[in-house]
Amino acid sequence: MAIPFLTKIFGSRNDRLLKQYRKTVERINALEAGLESLSDDELRGKTQSFRERFAAGETLDALMPEAFAVVREGSKRVMKMRHFDVQLAGGIALHNGKIAEMRTGEGKTLTSTLPAYLNALASKGVHVVTVNDYLASRDAKWMGKLFNFLGLSVGINLAQMSREEKQAAYNSDITYGTNNEYGFDYLRDNMVYEAHDRVQRPLNYAIIDEVDSILIDEARTPLIISGQAEDHTATYLSMKQVVPLLTRQEGEADPRTGEGIITPGDFTLDEKSHQIFLTEQGHEKAEAVLAQMGLIPEGASLYDPANITLMHHLNAALRAQHLYHRDQHYVVQEGEIVIVDEFTGRLMTGRRWSDGLHQAVEAKEGAQIQAENQTLASITFQNYFRLYNKIGGMTGTADTEAYEFQEIYGLETVVIPPHRKSQREDQLDRVYKTSQERYTAAIADIRECHERGQPVLVGTTSIENSELIAQLLTQEKLPHQVLNAKQHAREADIVAQAGRPGMITIATNMAGRGTDIVLGGNIEKDIQAVETDESLSEDARQARVAELREQWKLVHEQVKALGGLRIIATERHESRRIDNQLRGRSGRQGDPGSSRFYLSLDDPLMRIFAGDRVRSIMDRLKMPEGEAIEAGIVTRSIESAQRKVEGRNFDIRKQLLEYDDVSNDQRKVIYQQRNDILDAQDLNSQIASLREGCFNDLVRQYVPVESVEEQWDLASLEKALTDEWLLNVPLRDKVQASNAITDEEILEMVVAAANAHFQAKLDSVGADNFTSFERMVLLQSIDTHWREHLSALDYLRQGIHLRGYAQKQPKQEYKREAFELFGQLLDAVKNEVTRTLMTVRIDSGDQIDQAAHDIEERAEHISNVTYSAPDESGQPQTVAADLAGLQQEWGPVGRNEPCPCGSGKKFKQCHGKLA
């Protein structure tokens, strides 16, 4: 009771922040009149003046009121748009590293120009992050006019751009791009072998548009760059023959009596967890069959260490046969297995199941088996965006997820009030007994609106449902548009015109984000066409533009009189935020509007959480067919169900993050080491440190710490030094010639001999010549062992939950073992690098360069590199660059040699580009 009482007296945290922001907004407004009198050149000169003041020690916070006032004045002159006071408040929140929740239509794109300009004054780079390439290009061109007018440079970072173009984009004051591309550039920068190949600068400040989509919806799918692993095609084909010989066990035994099995079999099926388990009988049968096929020795167990991979392949083949069904979980198109997304029914072209499952399905269907992939580099959006010094975010719907933003990213959510009060009427949900009744009622509502001329936006949670509604509207002869979330530019055009009289637009709840629905339709394109029409005189153009604006005003008022945009949703999403996103499409800038959700007891959310309770009410009231329940208590119980699902999803994301944090800490160490190696002019101290550590470990195997002479095995130590390290150190002679000698002195003698051996090598070829070779050896060793380490962590994570049965905490066990594995990685790198540099035989400087070049070729020339990233549905999508066929045709081609296709470009910029 005390908290609501205190909030009434002191105001909420949000109210107090807005009060602070209003004081700053008043200071900005006070500067407006003074800036209006400046010429364009004088206004532009302010940018240089701000930069000089910042360099002299003034903070960005101190410069903020003047800088925001300059941006607003620039926008009035260039864009013919004046920032509202609420947009200034949103800009302050973004600059302070918070999330600004601003409703759809409040002008978030224009708001972002304020903190982007202010933070660009520090010359450290500002990244504006959008959800797709279309919005990145649109916003960069649109807002670029303002930034260029004020003397700042703007870059666009898109996929398929060359390294030089990307470097230019990142060196601009403000860079626009997608979350996927920023993440992939970070991973690629940490795979390069020359410092000048990196494209990004240190990560300074990011403004994330649609922050809920990027940091929550896509947080569970990592960005992955993968390359080919070893080929197991023969094994998959063999396992395909084993599976039909194994039978399924039907029914279950009573745990007390052991009775009750209907049909004993070789494996049990758990459809809920999507797993298959071999029975005791199944193990014996599988071992006998595999022995007959010559895959394992007679009498060997499937669980022998040498046969563990066979066990893995057998499990994958069983799951492919019995759990994954054609035209339900996947389809076969042109000889390829294409996954069907279980949530949207959309084909996930390019996406592949992991753990050999995809290859097992390919074997089952007789399709060509593609090689398995090995992860080369990976990062989640959660961890990528936490690398920035500061991030700010904006969206129309963040408040329902405010706790998650605060907990995981340390981002506070500030709800910015709208410029004009919302007039939208959110009506109560209508719940019907069956889906058929629900669709009939929704279509009747759509028809009634269409006949009156009111525009309608129909929201669905899946592609499948949007197609079903489109089919029903076609049967009713109602004209409509369907949004396809894959065509971003066309999608934006459809959304922009969804406010025209009588328009019916069907969309998934998330489609068309980033584009306003203007009542009466958007006429900016028509005006642009007139303004660029050279056949018209200047006066004719102005007259035509004025005529278009007058016509639009009439249509705009007509649609407002009809009640504005009507939102009709045919189901609830499991997240309230996405329902709010759909509702927010209506009622922008104080326009009228209304929304209604039509539900049925068949909906997954209703069935799982509230269906029985509502059904019993309907039965008790003896409700006739086609009648709906419409009550506040029902709407509240549905929202309560959504809260439960949101809480569960948050727990999953948090759990994933806690596991990923372990590899993230290790990734930071490895990438920092790589960057130090790339930037270092001289690597002698690093190599010397590795060498000393390596020989210390070696000596201590034979001469333990603080041991006596009787415990030493000097003969074996001398042999190891000669055989493995090409070092001839007469330790036994020196010990016999000495009166007293300690274990430390033995160690010093070996390290001194190793240093002298290495120094002689350096002197013979010159230290400068040797540095590039040392760099390549170090980088390749780190990369090779890091890739193996990532695979080891994947395997560790898959089985770690079983530790719970031993009363151990899986998370702690994972951290402990991952730490041990990381220690092994560092030891392996130390030993491999030292061994290579100590035993290499090089006669001349030319040969050193050639050896370094060969290592670079081997390391960089990865064929079949695949990039995996989430798409709009949050599912990973993959794009592969297949170089293997070209390599067979052309033979080996160096990355810096001319491309054999005759384009005149270097191979790495042409057919050798990793796309």
Side-chain angles (χ1 to χ4, degrees):
M1 290 299 291
I3 291 172
F5 174 69
L6 291 171
T7 303
K8 273 183 185 173
I9 297 174
F10 299 109
S12 67
R13 163 79 177 160
N14 203 73
D15 296 337
R16 294 196 298 277
L17 282 171
L18 290 174
K19 197 174 177 185
Q20 286 173 26
Y21 294 171
R22 282 189 200 105
K23 288 177 184 170
T24 310
V25 169
E26 283 167 16
R27 288 171 61 198
I28 298 165
N29 289 341
L31 298 166
E32 190 168 11
L35 291 172
E36 283 173 344
S37 62
L38 298 180
S39 69
D40 286 357
D41 287 339
E42 287 172 326
L43 189 65
R44 194 175 295 114
K46 286 281 185 183
T47 302
Q48 189 53 37
S49 159
F50 291 146
R51 284 192 149 152
E52 286 164 4
R53 285 164 60 185
F54 177 78
E58 205 167 335
T59 64
L60 292 178
D61 289 347
L63 292 170
M64 181 168 61
E66 291 175 73
F68 277 23
V70 165
V71 175
R72 177 194 261 182
E73 184 56 34
S75 177
K76 278 158 61 180
R77 297 184 190 190
V78 178
M79 320 268 293
K80 307 290 184 281
M81 290 193 279
R82 180 183 178 275
H83 293 75
F84 300 133
D85 286 359
V86 291
Q87 288 174 309
L88 296 176
I92 297 167
L94 289 173
H95 168 66
N96 289 340
K98 300 186 190 302
I99 289 173
E101 176 179 297
M102 299 174 72
R103 290 200 179 159
T104 304
E106 290 293 308
K108 290 188 280 290
T109 309
L110 190 63
T111 301
S112 67
T113 57
L114 299 158
Y117 172 82
L118 175 61
N119 285 271
L121 298 173
S123 302
K124 292 179 182 175
V126 172
H127 294 172
V128 183
V129 187
T130 64
V131 287
N132 60 52
D133 284 344
Y134 165 74
L135 290 176
S137 303
R138 184 200 73 175
D139 295 354
K141 285 171 190 158
W142 191 15
M143 298 299 143
K145 295 174 196 165
L146 170 58
F147 292 128
N148 292 337
F149 171 77
L150 292 172
L152 295 182
S153 56
V154 176
I156 311 178
N157 175 32
L158 302 174
Q160 313 302 334
M161 280 169 64
S162 70
R163 190 185 74 221
E164 289 77 12
E165 289 170 323
K166 277 185 175 286
Q167 284 171 335
Y170 278 111
N171 286 326
S172 303
D173 294 313
I174 297 162
T175 311
Y176 282 81
T178 65
N179 47 334
N180 287 349
E181 208 49 34
Y182 286 123
F184 278 138
D185 285 337
Y186 171 74
L187 292 177
R188 280 189 291 253
D189 273 3
N190 286 289
M191 292 171 73
V192 301
Y193 278 73
E194 294 290 344
H196 59 75
D197 285 343
R198 289 180 299 205
V199 296
Q200 284 188 339
R201 293 193 274 171
L203 302 174
N204 174 44
Y205 175 53
I207 299 171
I208 307 173
D209 194 9
E210 307 299 359
V211 66
D212 56 327
S213 173
I214 291 170
L215 293 188
I216 290 182
D217 298 328
E218 297 183 8
R220 281 160 66 174
T221 312
L223 294 172
I224 298 169
I225 297 180
S226 50
Q228 281 197 352
E230 55 188 299
D231 190 12
H232 290 124
T233 302
T235 315
Y236 288 113
L237 293 172
S238 302
M239 288 303 169
K240 179 188 172 183
Q241 297 170 334
V242 177
V243 168
L245 303 174
L246 303 176
T247 55
R248 179 179 171 183
Q249 175 174 297
E250 300 288 349
E252 282 186 27
D254 186 313
R256 288 164 299 182
T257 62
E259 296 171 0
I261 292 180
I262 300 163
T263 316
D266 303 318
F267 62 88
T268 58
L269 210 63
D270 183 350
E271 292 184 67
K272 188 178 176 187
S273 66
H274 236 52
Q275 291 295 334
I276 281 182
F277 304 98
L278 283 177
T279 61
E280 194 66 42
Q281 173 187 320
H283 277 119
E284 290 170 11
K285 192 167 178 181
E287 283 162 4
V289 172
L290 291 170
Q292 271 178 356
M293 296 171 75
L295 289 173
I296 61 173
E298 199 69 47
S301 165
L302 261 177
Y303 284 105
D304 287 348
N307 300 330
I308 285 293
T309 54
L310 283 178
M311 186 71 210
H312 173 74
H313 288 306
L314 180 58
N315 270 327
L318 281 165
R319 289 177 70 207
Q321 184 65 43
H322 297 284
L323 289 170
Y324 288 82
H325 306 298
R326 186 168 179 164
D327 295 333
Q328 182 185 345
H329 298 101
Y330 64 89
V331 295
V332 182
Q333 279 187 350
E334 297 172 11
E336 275 193 32
I337 305 297
V338 183
I339 299 174
V340 175
D341 180 5
E342 59 181 309
F343 299 108
T344 64
R346 196 188 294 185
L347 295 183
M348 307 303 294
T349 309
R351 183 187 165 203
R352 294 178 67 79
W353 285 304
S354 57
D355 286 340
L357 176 63
H358 208 97
Q359 286 78 3
V361 174
E362 285 169 336
K364 166 188 164 184
E365 293 293 347
Q368 185 185 347
I369 297 174
Q370 296 180 27
E372 290 178 54
N373 281 340
Q374 177 189 13
T375 301
L376 306 180
S378 161
I379 194 167
T380 58
F381 287 128
Q382 290 170 319
N383 279 322
Y384 172 70
F385 284 109
R386 293 195 304 176
L387 293 170
Y388 282 84
N389 294 331
K390 179 170 79 173
I391 56 175
M394 46 189 189
T395 178
T397 46
D399 201 34
T400 55
E401 314 290 346
Y403 177 72
E404 179 164 354
F405 283 125
Q406 182 68 56
E407 186 82 357
I408 288 180
Y409 303 100
L411 285 169
E412 188 175 3
T413 301
V414 184
V415 180
I416 307 289
H419 176 56
R420 294 196 181 95
K421 201 166 183 292
S422 173
Q423 303 292 320
R424 190 183 69 239
E425 181 195 355
D426 292 328
Q427 298 166 345
L428 291 173
D429 298 359
R430 283 194 173 160
V431 184
Y432 293 83
K433 264 190 177 177
T434 66
S435 288
Q436 184 57 52
E437 292 172 39
R438 174 252 311 273
Y439 287 127
T440 305
I443 298 292
D445 193 346
I446 294 168
R447 175 181 289 285
E448 193 264 332
C449 292
H450 178 69
E451 286 170 354
R452 285 191 297 110
Q454 185 179 10
V456 181
L457 180 67
V458 186
T460 66
T461 59
S462 70
I463 302 290
E464 191 181 9
N465 281 0
S466 63
E467 285 170 356
L468 173 65
I469 288 162
Q471 211 176 326
L472 293 171
L473 289 174
T474 306
Q475 287 169 9
E476 295 287 322
K477 297 187 173 54
L478 289 169
H480 58 274
Q481 291 261 35
V482 184
L483 274 191
N484 183 331
K486 282 290 165 199
Q487 299 162 298
H488 300 305
R490 187 168 166 272
E491 175 182 313
D493 289 341
I494 294 174
V495 169
Q497 304 311 335
R500 288 191 167 173
M503 281 293 280
I504 302 174
T505 310
I506 304 169
T508 52
N509 292 356
M510 301 294 280
R513 292 184 74 159
T515 309
D516 270 346
I517 297 179
V518 181
L519 298 188
N522 193 321
I523 56 162
E524 292 307 315
K525 262 197 172 174
D526 298 342
I527 289 172
Q528 213 175 346
V530 172
E531 286 175 344
T532 53
D533 187 350
E534 293 177 6
S535 64
L536 297 173
S537 66
E538 186 58 36
D539 291 344
R541 278 184 210 151
Q542 286 179 356
R544 180 75 187 115
V545 167
E547 188 187 334
L548 282 170
R549 291 199 187 281
E550 280 305 313
Q551 286 172 357
W552 175 81
K553 271 186 189 167
L554 293 172
V555 179
H556 179 69
E557 291 304 323
Q558 177 197 340
V559 174
K560 276 175 78 171
L562 290 166
L565 180 67
R566 170 77 164 161
I567 302 286
I568 294 176
T570 56
E571 58 202 306
R572 284 268 197 171
H573 196 275
E574 60 182 32
S575 164
R576 289 170 297 156
R577 178 172 49 82
I578 294 174
D579 289 343
N580 293 342
Q581 185 78 38
L582 177 65
R583 275 195 175 123
R585 295 243 163 254
S586 175
R588 70 182 279 287
Q589 289 290 333
D591 286 340
S594 61
S595 71
R596 164 95 75 191
F597 281 78
Y598 288 88
L599 314 175
S600 89
L601 297 182
D602 303 340
D603 292 351
L605 198 72
M606 293 293 294
R607 196 177 67 242
I608 296 166
F609 290 99
D612 293 341
R613 201 160 65 238
V614 179
R615 194 182 292 277
S616 65
I617 294 170
M618 285 181 152
D619 290 342
R620 226 174 295 148
L621 296 173
K622 295 189 171 58
M623 292 181 68
E625 198 173 311
E627 276 291 311
I629 277 194
E630 185 180 328
I633 189 168
V634 175
T635 302
R636 284 194 296 277
S637 73
I638 293 164
E639 285 183 355
S640 154
Q642 287 174 308
R643 276 195 196 93
K644 288 178 194 166
V645 179
E646 286 166 11
R648 178 173 165 273
N649 288 340
F650 167 57
D651 288 342
I652 291 170
R653 284 191 291 268
K654 195 174 177 196
Q655 179 110 344
L656 279 170
L657 183 68
E658 284 171 350
Y659 278 105
D660 195 53
D661 273 347
V662 177
S663 58
N664 190 50
D665 292 341
Q666 296 175 357
R667 184 191 300 113
K668 283 180 187 169
V669 172
I670 289 291
Y671 285 179
Q672 185 59 52
Q673 282 192 353
R674 273 190 115 263
N675 286 321
D676 290 347
I677 292 164
L678 282 171
D679 294 331
Q681 298 299 314
D682 176 14
L683 294 166
N684 283 348
S685 59
Q686 284 163 289
I687 299 292
S689 169
L690 292 177
R691 189 167 57 249
E692 282 176 28
C694 185
F695 282 103
N696 186 30
D697 294 346
L698 177 72
V699 170
R700 290 311 179 190
Q701 286 178 32
Y702 304 100
V703 181
V705 179
E706 295 180 358
S707 57
V708 292
E709 202 173 313
E710 287 74 23
Q711 294 172 284
W712 300 349
D713 184 359
L714 295 179
S716 300
L717 177 55
E718 281 183 14
K719 188 173 186 307
L721 288 168
T722 309
D723 294 351
E724 296 174 30
W725 301 94
L726 307 181
L727 283 178
N728 189 12
V729 190
L731 295 171
R732 284 176 293 178
D733 295 349
K734 291 196 177 179
V735 168
Q736 283 164 6
S738 169
N739 292 331
I741 193 165
T742 65
D743 60 291
E744 284 296 328
E745 287 172 309
I746 295 282
L747 175 61
E748 283 168 19
M749 281 159 55
V750 172
V751 170
N755 288 343
H757 177 80
F758 187 72
Q759 192 58 46
K761 203 181 294 274
L762 278 186
D763 294 341
S764 68
V765 293
D768 293 342
N769 293 330
F770 209 63
T771 302
S772 62
F773 180 66
E774 288 174 330
R775 182 175 286 117
M776 288 307 150
V777 170
L778 267 168
L779 292 176
Q780 192 186 16
S781 182
I782 287 172
D783 289 352
T784 304
H785 290 290
W786 175 242
R787 289 202 286 270
E788 289 168 3
H789 180 70
L790 287 176
S791 298
L793 287 183
D794 276 347
Y795 287 126
L796 177 63
R797 189 188 289 195
Q798 283 167 19
I800 202 74
H801 63 279
L802 297 171
R803 305 284 173 93
Y805 292 116
Q807 304 300 310
K808 290 181 178 176
Q809 170 57 265
K811 222 172 288 171
Q812 293 305 322
E813 288 290 295
Y814 180 75
K815 284 179 183 175
R816 183 179 60 77
E817 291 209 18
F819 182 73
E820 285 175 15
L821 285 170
F822 191 63
Q824 291 168 19
L825 176 154
L826 296 177
D827 283 345
V829 169
K830 176 176 70 183
N831 290 328
E832 187 178 280
V833 169
T834 305
R835 190 182 303 277
T836 305
L837 295 178
M838 288 293 290
T839 57
V840 72
R841 291 180 182 176
I842 298 176
D843 301 327
S844 70
D846 290 343
Q847 283 168 295
I848 286 184
D849 291 340
Q850 185 57 45
H853 182 71
D854 290 347
I855 284 186
E856 184 181 358
E857 288 292 326
R858 273 210 311 282
E860 280 206 43
H861 204 99
I862 308 162
S863 70
N864 286 1
V865 168
T866 305
Y867 294 137
S868 307
D871 66 1
E872 287 72 31
S873 66
Q875 300 293 343
Q877 53 183 352
T878 58
V879 189
D882 184 9
L883 303 179
L886 297 177
Q887 285 170 327
Q888 284 175 0
E889 184 184 333
W890 291 334
V893 184
R895 279 176 60 69
N896 293 310
E897 291 175 22
C899 187
C901 75
S903 64
K905 294 181 182 177
K906 287 182 179 179
F907 181 63
K908 66 181 179 185
Q909 296 295 354
C910 191
H911 278 81
K913 186 188 285 189
L914 302 184

Coordinates of all heavy atoms in Angstrom, one line a residue, residues 157-161 166 170 180-193 197-200 225 377 671 674 678 865 867 914-915:
N157 N 26.0 1.1 -44.1 CA 26.7 -0.2 -44.0 C 25.8 -1.3 -44.5 O 24.9 -1.7 -43.7 CB 27.2 -0.5 -42.6 CG 27.8 -1.8 -42.4 OD1 28.4 -2.4 -43.3 ND2 27.7 -2.4 -41.2
L158 N 26.0 -1.9 -45.7 CA 25.1 -2.9 -46.2 C 25.9 -4.2 -46.5 O 27.1 -4.1 -46.7 CB 24.4 -2.5 -47.5 CG 23.5 -1.2 -47.4 CD1 23.1 -0.8 -48.8 CD2 22.3 -1.4 -46.5
A159 N 25.2 -5.3 -46.5 CA 25.8 -6.6 -46.9 C 26.3 -6.5 -48.3 O 25.8 -5.6 -49.1 CB 24.8 -7.7 -46.8
Q160 N 27.3 -7.3 -48.7 CA 27.8 -7.4 -50.1 C 28.7 -6.1 -50.4 O 29.1 -6.0 -51.6 CB 26.7 -7.5 -51.1 CG 25.7 -8.6 -50.9 CD 26.3 -10.0 -50.7 OE1 27.4 -10.3 -51.2 NE2 25.6 -10.8 -49.9
M161 N 28.9 -5.2 -49.5 CA 29.8 -4.1 -49.8 C 31.2 -4.5 -49.7 O 31.6 -5.4 -48.9 CB 29.5 -2.9 -48.8 CG 28.3 -2.1 -49.2 SD 27.8 -0.9 -47.9 CE 29.2 0.2 -47.8
K166 N 33.1 -0.5 -46.8 CA 32.7 -0.6 -45.4 C 33.6 0.3 -44.5 O 33.1 0.9 -43.6 CB 32.8 -2.0 -45.0 CG 31.6 -2.9 -45.3 CD 31.7 -4.3 -44.8 CE 30.4 -5.1 -45.0 NZ 29.3 -4.7 -44.2
Y170 N 32.2 3.2 -42.0 CA 32.5 3.2 -40.6 C 33.3 4.4 -40.2 O 33.3 4.8 -39.0 CB 33.3 1.9 -40.1 CG 32.3 0.7 -39.9 CD1 32.3 -0.4 -40.8 CD2 31.5 0.7 -38.8 CE1 31.5 -1.4 -40.5 CE2 30.6 -0.3 -38.6 CZ 30.6 -1.4 -39.5 OH 29.8 -2.5 -39.2
N180 N 22.3 -7.2 -38.0 CA 23.1 -8.4 -38.5 C 24.4 -7.9 -39.1 O 25.5 -8.6 -38.8 CB 22.3 -9.1 -39.6 CG 21.1 -9.9 -39.1 OD1 21.0 -10.0 -37.9 ND2 20.3 -10.3 -40.0
E181 N 24.4 -6.9 -39.9 CA 25.7 -6.5 -40.6 C 26.7 -6.0 -39.6 O 27.9 -6.2 -39.7 CB 25.3 -5.5 -41.7 CG 26.3 -5.4 -42.8 CD 26.6 -6.8 -43.4 OE1 25.7 -7.7 -43.5 OE2 27.7 -7.1 -43.8
Y182 N 26.3 -5.2 -38.6 CA 27.2 -4.7 -37.6 C 27.9 -5.9 -36.9 O 29.1 -5.9 -36.6 CB 26.5 -3.8 -36.5 CG 26.2 -2.4 -37.0 CD1 24.9 -2.0 -37.0 CD2 27.2 -1.6 -37.5 CE1 24.5 -0.7 -37.4 CE2 26.8 -0.3 -37.9 CZ 25.5 0.1 -37.9 OH 25.2 1.4 -38.3
G183 N 27.0 -6.9 -36.5 CA 27.5 -8.1 -35.8 C 28.5 -8.9 -36.6 O 29.6 -9.3 -36.1
F184 N 28.1 -9.1 -37.9 CA 29.0 -9.9 -38.8 C 30.4 -9.2 -39.0 O 31.4 -9.8 -39.1 CB 28.3 -10.2 -40.1 CG 27.4 -11.4 -40.1 CD1 26.2 -11.3 -40.7 CD2 27.7 -12.5 -39.4 CE1 25.3 -12.4 -40.6 CE2 26.9 -13.6 -39.3 CZ 25.7 -13.6 -40.0
D185 N 30.3 -7.8 -39.1 CA 31.5 -7.1 -39.3 C 32.5 -7.2 -38.1 O 33.7 -7.3 -38.3 CB 31.2 -5.6 -39.6 CG 30.7 -5.4 -41.0 OD1 31.0 -6.2 -41.9 OD2 30.0 -4.4 -41.2
Y186 N 31.9 -7.2 -36.9 CA 32.7 -7.4 -35.7 C 33.4 -8.8 -35.7 O 34.5 -8.9 -35.5 CB 31.8 -7.3 -34.5 CG 32.4 -7.7 -33.2 CD1 33.4 -6.8 -32.6 CD2 32.1 -8.9 -32.6 CE1 34.0 -7.2 -31.4 CE2 32.7 -9.3 -31.4 CZ 33.7 -8.4 -30.8 OH 34.3 -8.8 -29.6
L187 N 32.6 -9.8 -36.1 CA 33.2 -11.2 -36.2 C 34.2 -11.3 -37.2 O 35.3 -11.9 -37.0 CB 32.1 -12.2 -36.4 CG 31.0 -12.4 -35.3 CD1 30.0 -13.4 -35.7 CD2 31.7 -12.9 -34.0
R188 N 34.0 -10.7 -38.4 CA 34.9 -10.8 -39.5 C 36.2 -10.0 -39.2 O 37.3 -10.4 -39.5 CB 34.3 -10.2 -40.8 CG 33.4 -11.1 -41.5 CD 33.0 -10.6 -42.9 NE 32.1 -9.4 -42.8 CZ 30.8 -9.5 -43.1 NH1 30.2 -10.5 -43.5 NH2 30.1 -8.4 -42.9
D189 N 36.1 -8.9 -38.5 CA 37.2 -8.1 -38.0 C 38.1 -8.9 -37.1 O 39.3 -8.6 -37.0 CB 36.8 -6.8 -37.3 CG 36.5 -5.7 -38.3 OD1 36.7 -5.9 -39.5 OD2 36.2 -4.6 -37.9
N190 N 37.5 -9.9 -36.4 CA 38.3 -10.7 -35.5 C 38.7 -12.0 -36.2 O 39.1 -13.0 -35.5 CB 37.6 -10.9 -34.2 CG 37.5 -9.7 -33.4 OD1 38.6 -9.3 -32.8 ND2 36.4 -9.0 -33.3
M191 N 38.7 -12.1 -37.5 CA 39.2 -13.2 -38.3 C 40.3 -12.8 -39.3 O 40.8 -13.6 -40.0 CB 38.0 -13.9 -39.0 CG 37.0 -14.6 -38.1 SD 35.6 -15.2 -39.0 CE 36.2 -16.6 -39.8
V192 N 40.6 -11.5 -39.3 CA 41.5 -11.0 -40.4 C 42.9 -11.3 -40.0 O 43.2 -11.5 -38.8 CB 41.3 -9.4 -40.6 CG1 39.9 -9.1 -41.1 CG2 41.7 -8.6 -39.4
Y193 N 43.8 -11.2 -41.0 CA 45.3 -11.5 -40.7 C 46.2 -10.3 -40.9 O 47.4 -10.4 -40.8 CB 45.7 -12.7 -41.6 CG 45.3 -14.0 -40.9 CD1 44.0 -14.4 -40.9 CD2 46.2 -14.8 -40.3 CE1 43.6 -15.5 -40.3 CE2 45.8 -16.0 -39.7 CZ 44.5 -16.3 -39.7 OH 44.1 -17.5 -39.1
D197 N 42.9 -4.7 -42.7 CA 41.7 -5.3 -43.3 C 40.5 -5.1 -42.4 O 39.4 -5.4 -42.8 CB 42.0 -6.9 -43.4 CG 42.8 -7.2 -44.6 OD1 43.0 -6.3 -45.5 OD2 43.4 -8.3 -44.7
R198 N 40.7 -4.6 -41.1 CA 39.6 -4.4 -40.3 C 38.7 -3.2 -40.8 O 39.3 -2.3 -41.3 CB 40.0 -4.1 -38.8 CG 40.6 -5.4 -38.2 CD 41.1 -5.1 -36.8 NE 42.2 -4.1 -36.7 CZ 43.0 -4.0 -35.7 NH1 43.0 -4.8 -34.7 NH2 44.0 -3.1 -35.8
V199 N 37.4 -3.3 -40.5 CA 36.6 -2.2 -41.1 C 36.0 -1.3 -39.9 O 35.8 -0.2 -40.1 CB 35.4 -2.8 -41.9 CG1 35.9 -3.4 -43.2 CG2 34.5 -3.7 -41.1
Q200 N 35.8 -1.9 -38.7 CA 35.1 -1.2 -37.6 C 36.2 -0.4 -36.8 O 37.3 -0.8 -36.7 CB 34.4 -2.1 -36.7 CG 33.1 -2.6 -37.2 CD 32.3 -3.4 -36.2 OE1 32.8 -3.9 -35.2 NE2 31.0 -3.5 -36.4
I225 N 29.3 -17.5 -38.1 CA 30.0 -17.7 -39.3 C 30.6 -19.1 -39.2 O 31.3 -19.4 -38.3 CB 31.2 -16.7 -39.5 CG1 30.6 -15.2 -39.6 CG2 32.0 -17.0 -40.7 CD1 31.6 -14.1 -39.7
A377 N 33.1 -18.5 -35.9 CA 32.9 -17.4 -35.0 C 31.5 -17.2 -34.7 O 30.6 -17.5 -35.5 CB 33.5 -16.1 -35.6
Y671 N 39.9 -12.3 -28.6 CA 39.8 -11.2 -29.6 C 40.8 -10.0 -29.2 O 41.4 -9.4 -30.1 CB 38.4 -10.7 -29.8 CG 37.5 -11.6 -30.6 CD1 36.2 -11.3 -30.8 CD2 38.0 -12.8 -31.1 CE1 35.4 -12.1 -31.6 CE2 37.2 -13.6 -31.8 CZ 35.9 -13.3 -32.1 OH 35.1 -14.2 -32.8
R674 N 44.2 -11.2 -30.2 CA 44.3 -11.1 -31.7 C 44.6 -9.7 -32.1 O 45.5 -9.4 -32.9 CB 43.1 -11.6 -32.4 CG 42.9 -13.0 -32.7 CD 41.8 -13.3 -33.6 NE 42.2 -13.8 -34.8 CZ 42.4 -13.1 -35.9 NH1 42.2 -11.8 -35.9 NH2 42.8 -13.7 -37.0
L678 N 47.9 -8.1 -34.0 CA 47.8 -7.4 -35.2 C 48.4 -6.0 -35.2 O 49.0 -5.6 -36.1 CB 46.3 -7.3 -35.6 CG 45.6 -8.5 -36.2 CD1 44.1 -8.3 -36.4 CD2 46.2 -8.8 -37.6
V865 N 31.9 -20.8 -46.7 CA 31.7 -20.0 -45.4 C 30.2 -19.7 -45.4 O 29.6 -19.3 -46.4 CB 32.5 -18.7 -45.4 CG1 32.0 -17.9 -44.2 CG2 33.9 -19.1 -45.1
Y867 N 27.0 -17.7 -43.3 CA 26.6 -16.7 -42.3 C 25.2 -17.0 -41.8 O 24.3 -17.1 -42.6 CB 26.6 -15.3 -42.8 CG 28.0 -14.8 -43.2 CD1 28.2 -14.1 -44.4 CD2 29.1 -15.0 -42.4 CE1 29.4 -13.7 -44.8 CE2 30.3 -14.6 -42.8 CZ 30.5 -13.9 -43.9 OH 31.7 -13.5 -44.3
L914 N 34.3 -13.5 -49.5 CA 33.4 -14.3 -48.7 C 32.1 -13.6 -48.5 O 32.0 -12.6 -47.8 CB 34.1 -14.4 -47.3 CG 35.5 -15.1 -47.3 CD1 36.0 -15.3 -45.9 CD2 35.4 -16.4 -48.0
A915 N 31.0 -14.0 -49.2 CA 29.8 -13.2 -49.2 C 28.8 -13.8 -48.3 O 28.7 -15.0 -48.1 CB 29.2 -13.3 -50.6

